[in-house]
């Protein structure tokens, strides 16, 4: 093989070449392609490991967000906003806001009934 043929055969991968001498002074050029399979670090998880680590930290911190929502009574408001956005994405903004508004009025009816019956 020629050197140009070896370059084409190993395109896209780093190649290592070795020259061996076979009797009568004839050099033979052999090449083989190598691919890096790891980053060279021991125990490194790479990008996937970093994403899992970040997700674990975020979920660990999320419990504080849930406690804050419970203490501030902000959870129902955020739920209404999320529902309104979801309905708006599917059926349009008028329907999304209207549906969430109707649900709110319906739930206010439950509150009035509980007050009427003294619960």
């Amino acid at each position: 093989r020629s050197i140009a043929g070896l370059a084409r055969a190993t395109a896209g991968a780093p190649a290592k070449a070795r020259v061996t001498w076979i009797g009568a002074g004839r050099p033979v050029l052999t090449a083989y392609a190598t691919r890096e399979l790891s980053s060279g670090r021991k125990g490194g998880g790479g990008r996937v490991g970093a994403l899992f680590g970040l997700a674990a930290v975020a979920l660990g911190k999320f419990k504080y967000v849930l406690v804050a929502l419970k203490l501030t009574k902000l959870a129902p408001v955020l739920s209404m906003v999320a529902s309104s956005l979801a309905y708006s994405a599917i059926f349009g903004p008028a329907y999304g806001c209207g549906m969430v508004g109707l649900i709110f009025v319906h739930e206010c009816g439950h509150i009035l009934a509980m007050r009427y019956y003294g619960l």
Side-chain angles (χ1 to χ4, degrees):
R1 282 187 163 179
S2 68
I3 294 177
L6 286 173
R8 280 193 301 273
T10 60
K16 293 183 179 180
R18 182 179 10 182
V19 177
T20 45
W21 293 85
I22 302 178
R26 251 180 55 211
V28 175
L29 182 64
T30 57
Y32 52 95
T34 60
R35 293 204 184 264
E36 292 290 327
L37 296 178
S38 69
S39 62
R41 298 175 299 193
K42 289 186 178 180
R47 291 182 185 165
V48 174
L51 287 176
F52 277 119
L54 184 63
V57 170
L59 287 176
K61 301 294 182 187
F62 188 66
K63 63 183 174 184
Y64 299 116
V65 172
L66 291 177
V67 170
L69 287 176
K70 226 179 222 187
L71 292 176
T72 60
K73 307 291 185 196
L74 196 59
V77 174
L78 290 179
S79 175
M80 289 174 64
V81 169
S83 297
S84 180
L85 290 174
Y87 281 126
S88 296
I90 298 171
F91 301 111
Y95 181 86
C97 293
M99 179 59 76
V100 172
L102 284 173
I103 293 171
F104 179 73
V105 169
H106 172 82
E107 295 302 323
C108 286
H110 289 286
I111 293 171
L112 290 174
M114 285 191 297
R115 285 187 181 168
Y116 178 78
Y117 287 110
L119 297 175

